[in-house]
Amino acid sequence: MTRSARLLELIQTLRRHRHPVTGDALAAKLGISLRTLYRDIATLQSQGARIDGAPGLGYVLREGFLLPPLMFTVEEIEALVLGSRWVSSRDDTRLAAAARDALAKIGAVLPPHLRHEMDTTTLMAGRSDAPGLDRDLMALLRQAIRSEHKLRLTYRDLKGATTERIVWPFALGFFDHVQVLVAWCELRGTHRHFRADRVTGAQVLDERYPQRRTALIKAWREQEGVPAADGN
């Protein structure tokens, strides 16, 4: 691994973690000595990377340091294209358009050889066979999650019974056959999963829910035994 590639990998490793990572862990990940790691961190800091920490305490990358898209590897380009195609295959035109726009912005600044890889990749995403979605509803659910506001839902269960409830939405799960809203339900007093195709009415309330979204996600993962993604 060249030094430039190693520095990029170091930045990417730090980006995947929101909390301090020890020097030993970073050195082991990169296959280098601690002394080399300290030199690499000093080099990145001199180039503007906001890396906080010290030997024995761990290191964390603060926001504000950007790497140009030309630093993407071929595998990263393939992952971006495949992810974009998967989103575009869902029955959600707003997200599909956003995925295509994001990919176009990345492609516009890629060097020719990587742009060629993006344009010619053969990784495909199959069409979704999920029930037709209410696009306005999905946009409303995403808005409520982003703003951490309560939702008033009208929901039809498996037996066809309809209930109205106040929920604290904090996640959306996209699966091949269904989309699921994950929320704290005030009626049940616990986390609940709501199929989007069974939501017959939804209203974003002015009131914010009393916990942060990240705290709700953490509690839900612990309750459901869902492993956390890297850095979360």
Side-chain angles (χ1 to χ4, degrees):
M1 181 185 296
T2 65
R3 187 163 189 264
S4 59
R6 189 176 73 238
L7 291 174
L8 174 61
E9 179 63 22
L10 175 55
I11 283 288
Q12 296 296 75
T13 301
L14 288 169
R15 268 185 170 158
R16 289 191 289 265
H17 295 81
R18 296 179 182 174
H19 304 290
V21 188
T22 66
D24 287 334
L26 290 171
K29 169 71 175 177
L30 298 170
I32 58 177
S33 68
L34 274 175
R35 183 176 180 182
T36 299
L37 173 72
Y38 298 151
R39 285 202 306 265
D40 287 351
I41 287 176
T43 297
L44 290 171
Q45 288 172 329
S46 69
Q47 294 176 356
R50 297 176 57 199
I51 301 175
D52 293 345
L57 299 177
Y59 297 92
V60 63
L61 178 66
R62 301 301 181 188
E63 294 182 2
F65 185 67
L66 302 177
L67 289 175
L70 58 84
M71 300 300 287
F72 288 144
T73 66
V74 172
E75 287 77 16
E76 288 168 341
I77 292 295
E78 289 182 333
L80 288 169
V81 173
L82 182 60
S84 175
R85 288 177 176 175
W86 189 91
V87 172
S88 296
S89 72
R90 307 302 97 179
D91 192 19
D92 189 322
T93 53
R94 295 190 189 184
L95 273 187
R100 289 192 295 269
D101 289 347
L103 207 59
K105 290 177 182 178
I106 293 171
V109 294
L110 287 176
H113 72 285
L114 286 181
R115 180 58 190 261
H116 177 74
E117 293 290 344
M118 173 182 284
D119 292 340
T120 60
T121 180
T122 56
L123 300 184
M124 303 294 178
R127 292 294 304 174
S128 170
D129 59 355
L133 290 177
D134 182 329
R135 298 172 182 84
D136 291 335
L137 169 64
M138 297 304 291
L140 183 144
L141 297 181
R142 293 195 297 271
Q143 173 196 341
I145 292 172
R146 285 193 299 265
S147 63
E148 299 183 342
H149 276 230
K150 294 185 179 183
L151 270 175
R152 178 180 283 113
L153 286 186
T154 304
Y155 190 72
R156 185 183 68 254
D157 66 18
L158 277 170
K159 298 180 180 179
T162 299
T163 58
E164 186 174 282
R165 58 188 77 194
I166 306 297
V167 302
W168 310 349
F170 57 85
L172 270 175
F174 287 78
F175 303 93
D176 285 338
H177 305 288
V178 69
Q179 284 72 43
V180 177
L181 174 70
V182 187
W184 175 269
C185 177
E186 292 187 355
L187 178 66
R188 304 302 184 193
T190 188
H191 301 104
R192 305 290 285 187
H193 304 127
F194 302 95
R195 283 182 48 159
D197 59 307
R198 292 187 186 144
V199 175
T200 59
Q203 176 189 0
V204 180
L205 303 181
D206 292 334
E207 182 182 1
R208 297 189 64 171
Y209 45 75
Q211 297 184 41
R212 297 308 304 269
R213 182 174 65 244
T214 51
L216 290 171
I217 291 175
K218 181 180 179 181
W220 169 75
R221 281 175 169 157
E222 292 174 349
Q223 174 182 296
E224 300 293 327
V226 177
D230 286 346
N232 293 328

